[in-house]
Amino acid sequence: MEILKYILLTIGILLSIIDTDACAQDYRSSPYFTVGAYHIDGRHTANGLDISDDFVDAICMGIGYEFRISDPWGILIGGDFAISSFHDSYSEDFKKIALLSISTSAVSLSLSPRYYLVFDDETSFFFGLLSRIESTSSVARFKFRNKDDVATPRGNSGFQLQHGLEFGIRFSLSENVDNSISLGFVSRDYGSSINKLDLKQSGYFRDETMKQSTSLEIKTTFYINKN
């Protein structure tokens, strides 16, 4: 999490030199919904299994409400749901003997303060802190060439406190709808559920040893402005 410390320091320096008259637009309190994608493990592998062929490991969606505290400040309260999966195979004599698929899901509640900086009448840059309580769930399924398919019991984690930060840009789509695109860095621990799966029962795969890591997260959010 060292990168987060440096980014927070940069933000603090930026705030100290910003003209205090350059406040954000007078956004209204409003409901929102969001869709996004993120990594579940920044190392891209877990005990030899490739879990990231491309950027997307998990797809997420959520709803919430942004409360306007003052001109530049807002607080977002919301809930998210995410799903993901990754795969591996075991081969002998160039034939696949066993296939492994691990499916994961996550639910979270978030409370995120945000600070807006104005660009023009319809566009604002923003940055904020991310704090959420998240729980993950995982299940592994095996498909074999010469025996029946099986699945592991589901592994569940307790609720864990995750943290990070985000920055992005917000702009107006219409009179009643705003849109924002943001990039965030968030701590996550899918290993709390994946490590509980008994992969050794397959006879071919080893148990996972995933650790908590920082996820790169991209989101787009739509705000429904009240008249």
Side-chain angles (χ1 to χ4, degrees):
M1 300 303 291
E2 289 295 324
I3 186 174
L4 297 182
K5 296 179 181 178
Y6 289 115
I7 296 176
L8 286 173
L9 178 61
T10 302
I11 291 174
I13 295 173
L14 178 63
L15 280 177
S16 67
I17 62 176
I18 289 175
D19 184 353
T20 56
D21 292 332
C23 60
Q25 300 181 62
D26 186 16
Y27 291 125
R28 301 172 182 175
S29 297
S30 60
Y32 66 86
F33 69 92
T34 182
V35 293
Y38 60 83
H39 284 305
I40 67 173
D41 191 307
R43 298 170 301 160
H44 307 296
T45 62
N47 201 10
L49 300 181
D50 183 5
I51 65 173
S52 180
D53 294 328
D54 300 302
F55 166 74
V56 176
D57 290 325
I59 301 295
C60 61
M61 60 187 67
I63 58 174
Y65 197 89
E66 180 181 30
F67 295 91
R68 301 302 302 160
I69 305 303
S70 62
D71 274 352
W73 289 99
I75 294 181
L76 282 68
I77 298 176
D80 289 281
F81 176 74
I83 56 174
S84 64
S85 65
F86 59 93
H87 312 273
D88 195 26
S89 62
Y90 180 85
S91 300
E92 289 181 349
D93 299 327
F94 304 104
K95 294 182 179 180
K96 291 184 177 180
I97 303 299
L99 301 177
L100 164 65
S101 173
I102 297 179
S103 301
T104 66
S105 61
V107 293
S108 63
L109 299 174
S110 61
L111 175 66
S112 305
R114 178 179 289 180
Y115 187 88
Y116 287 93
L117 301 173
V118 67
F119 279 170
D120 53 39
D121 291 340
E122 295 185 349
T123 305
S124 287
F125 173 80
F126 65 85
F127 57 86
L129 300 178
L130 300 176
S131 59
R132 62 186 59 164
I133 298 176
E134 184 174 69
S135 177
T136 63
S137 177
S138 303
V139 63
R141 297 177 176 86
F142 306 101
K143 292 185 177 182
F144 300 101
R145 185 178 180 87
N146 297 316
K147 58 181 180 179
D148 294 337
D149 300 343
V150 296
T152 64
R154 184 173 295 274
N156 297 286
S157 74
F159 279 93
Q160 303 170 342
L161 179 63
Q162 313 293 357
H163 59 278
L165 56 85
E166 67 171 347
F167 57 91
I169 188 169
R170 177 169 171 170
F171 50 91
S172 177
L173 290 179
S174 67
E175 182 179 354
N176 297 320
V177 179
D178 284 354
N179 178 229
S180 72
I181 299 174
S182 62
L183 181 67
F185 300 89
V186 189
S187 67
R188 281 196 166 89
D189 188 6
Y190 272 76
S192 295
S193 58
I194 291 179
N195 292 346
K196 296 179 180 180
L197 303 178
D198 182 11
L199 304 187
K200 291 182 179 179
Q201 67 172 276
S202 69
Y204 300 99
F205 300 100
R206 299 174 295 172
D207 285 338
E208 288 304 301
T209 54
M210 291 183 67
K211 300 179 180 179
Q212 181 168 328
S213 64
T214 299
S215 296
L216 176 65
E217 177 180 276
I218 293 178
K219 280 190 174 183
T220 182
T221 305
F222 299 90
Y223 309 84
I224 311 302
N225 299 321
K226 298 179 181 179
N227 294 323

